[in-house]
Amino acid sequence: MTPPAEHIAVVGAGAAGLATAIFTRELNPARTVILLDGAARPGAKILVSGGSRCNVTNTEVTADDYWGGKRTIIRRVLRALPVPSTIAFFERIGVPLKEEGGGKLFPRSDRSRDVLDALLRAADDAGVTVSASTRVHAVTAGSGFTLQTSRGPTEAGAVVLATGGLSLPKTGSDGGGFGIAQSLGHSLVPPTPALAPLMLSNGFHASLSGVAHEAELTVWYDGRAAERLRGSLLWTHFGISGPAALDASRHVLRGHLQGRRTALSVSFVPGESFDAVDVRWTARAAARPRTSVRNALAEELPASVADALVAHAGIASATLLADFSRTDRRRLAHALTALPLSVTGSRGYDYAEATAGGVPLEEIDPSTMESRKCPSLFLVGEMLDVDGRIGGFNFQWAWSSGRAAAEGISRRR
Ligand SMILES: Cc1cc2nc3c(=O)[nH]c(=O)nc-3n(C[C@H](O)[C@H](O)[C@H](O)COP(=O)(O)OP(=O)(O)OC[C@H]3O[C@@H](n4cnc5c(N)ncnc54)[C@H](O)[C@@H]3O)c2cc1C
């Protein structure tokens, strides 16, 4: 029997699947929408996000906040639900947002639970049927679609894949959706963790565990600076975390994946060149010769970082600026502006907030999210080859791609 074309199956009830289902029903109440999720309680990732506060979006979102597929395509998808519309949508479903540093927008209540509850309530109000504990094992296309699920087969006229990537697999996002997309004709940009803490081999981090400060990380490919990521850096017992390290992780891991000669360095004086630091410390030595190098450093960096840096540069910590040799000063300037960090890997998908790689953007129509490989199949959210930097950008991608798909579905005849 041919399934009615107006019956839509959305696979995955995370941020992108929920948004797609709600907007599809709101735009076209004549369509029935079933939202299938393998987890007993969908939306687990929304609950744990943003330290259980859910950084829903950012005041300013552009294609430059994302990596992966072409920015021109990302820009078109983002246009489907710009930030003001996202804010208005959450306000409408009972989740007013408030702004924090870096333009991050959180629910005013500071509770991710409120975001998830509001989305589930909005889905219910819109008439979406949510089917939890329903894992989709396979999808086949014919005159419609047949979905093989853990509760038996079901039919649909259109299918939306919103199964996420591989990050935090215990929430149900284990990459199974990639296999389904491939079985329907799609290819896959090989995935790696993104927004993941990095493990280091050199001992520099060991004594600094728990210390955070502003820094700039540079990712080097084949001896050339490929990316510079500025923000707070957190030293841990295994290596580095915090926004700067999380943003850098996908570049390091993509470099390794692509077999490039990849290196990472940290600047403790973001924006300052080696020469500028050298000149500044020369002037400092002239102005305050009786101050020790270590104490002068501790005026601008946490004391433990100052200790680690003088030790790394091989400078006795009691050395006075008056006795600071040109060689030592230049060695310190090098350590301050480009200390090499030896990355052994990341903490993996269990700790990654996102997935880089996924279904290539060229394989979807960005104005509708419809597959160019399989008509009436739509793909949204993190399963696509897009990953945002830290700050609410990954959720915005989920909301915008969900809206674009809903508009695409409502325009189908
Ligand atoms: C710890 C953590 C904190 C984060 N914090 C933030 C933040 O504050 N701000 C931000 O913007 N981003 C944040 N992110 C990233 C953000 O959560 C994701 O980018 C976003 O949730 C992706 O949404 P999605 O709907 O595409 O995929 P997911 O949220 O991964 O949802 C996919 C859903 O599909 C279901 N599923 C998978 N396969 C199948 C199948 N075969 N059959 C049925 N169901 C299936 C899964 O159970 C899951 O519910 C965070 C991520 C993590 C891990």
Side-chain angles (χ1 to χ4, degrees), residues 11-17 36-39 42-43 45-46 48-50 54-56 134-137 162-165 167-168 171-174 176-177 180 352-354 380-383 391-396 398:
V11 186
L36 311 159
D37 201 291
K45 208 176 276 185
I46 295 174
V48 300
S49 69
C54 188
N55 180 189
V56 174
T134 310
R135 175 90 185 166
V136 175
H137 299 300
T163 49
S167 57
L168 211 59
T171 59
S173 316
D174 57 5
I180 297 174
E353 291 195 10
V380 293
E382 196 174 311
M383 70 176 310
F393 303 98
N394 284 301
F395 276 137
Q396 184 57 53

Side-chain angles (χ1 to χ4, degrees), residues 59-313:
T59 49
E60 215 169 298
V61 177
T62 74
D64 293 342
D65 296 308
Y66 297 86
W67 297 293
K70 280 208 184 95
R71 297 239 160 106
T72 47
I73 303 180
I74 296 171
R75 190 170 301 126
R76 286 192 63 184
V77 175
L78 290 173
R79 246 183 251 147
L81 194 74
V83 172
S85 308
T86 304
I87 296 169
F89 167 69
F90 279 97
E91 179 95 38
R92 168 161 71 82
I93 66 171
V95 186
L97 304 178
K98 61 166 178 180
E99 185 181 340
E100 290 195 3
K104 293 179 181 175
L105 292 172
F106 290 90
R108 220 177 270 164
S109 67
D110 275 331
R111 282 164 44 101
S112 56
R113 163 61 66 192
D114 293 347
V115 175
L116 178 59
D117 286 350
L119 286 167
L120 290 171
R121 209 168 40 239
D124 192 46
D125 291 349
V128 174
T129 305
V130 179
S131 181
S133 301
T134 310
R135 175 90 185 166
V136 175
H137 299 300
V139 178
T140 45
S143 55
F145 291 91
T146 304
L147 294 86
Q148 302 298 338
T149 85
S150 51
R151 292 176 186 265
T154 185
E155 312 260 289
V159 167
V160 182
L161 288 181
T163 49
L166 287 149
S167 57
L168 211 59
K170 68 178 177 197
T171 59
S173 316
D174 57 5
F178 288 148
I180 297 174
Q182 284 175 301
S183 75
L184 293 166
H186 282 282
S187 62
L188 197 64
V189 176
T192 57
L195 302 183
L198 291 171
M199 298 189 298
L200 303 179
S201 68
N202 48 4
F204 192 83
H205 59 276
S207 61
L208 300 178
S209 185
V211 176
H213 56 85
E214 283 299 297
E216 184 176 76
L217 292 173
T218 303
V219 181
W220 303 83
Y221 290 154
D222 304 317
R224 296 179 58 175
E227 289 286 341
R228 295 188 194 278
L229 299 309
R230 210 184 268 198
S232 178
L233 179 73
L234 172 67
W235 298 91
T236 72
H237 63 284
F238 56 78
I240 48 172
S241 189
L246 298 180
D247 282 342
S249 63
R250 62 100 58 210
H251 302 291
V252 175
L253 299 172
R254 305 304 289 168
H256 289 168
L257 179 80
Q258 291 157 7
R260 293 174 187 237
R261 193 159 49 83
T262 305
L264 183 68
S265 65
V266 57
S267 167
F268 296 85
V269 283
E272 251 190 306
S273 66
F274 170 87
D275 287 338
V277 172
D278 191 39
V279 167
R280 186 159 63 82
W281 278 79
T282 305
R284 233 171 164 185
R288 300 169 60 197
R290 306 307 302 163
T291 306
S292 72
V293 175
R294 184 265 176 208
N295 286 351
L297 255 185
E299 287 170 12
E300 57 186 56
L301 288 167
S304 51
V305 175
D307 289 334
L309 276 169
V310 289
H312 175 86

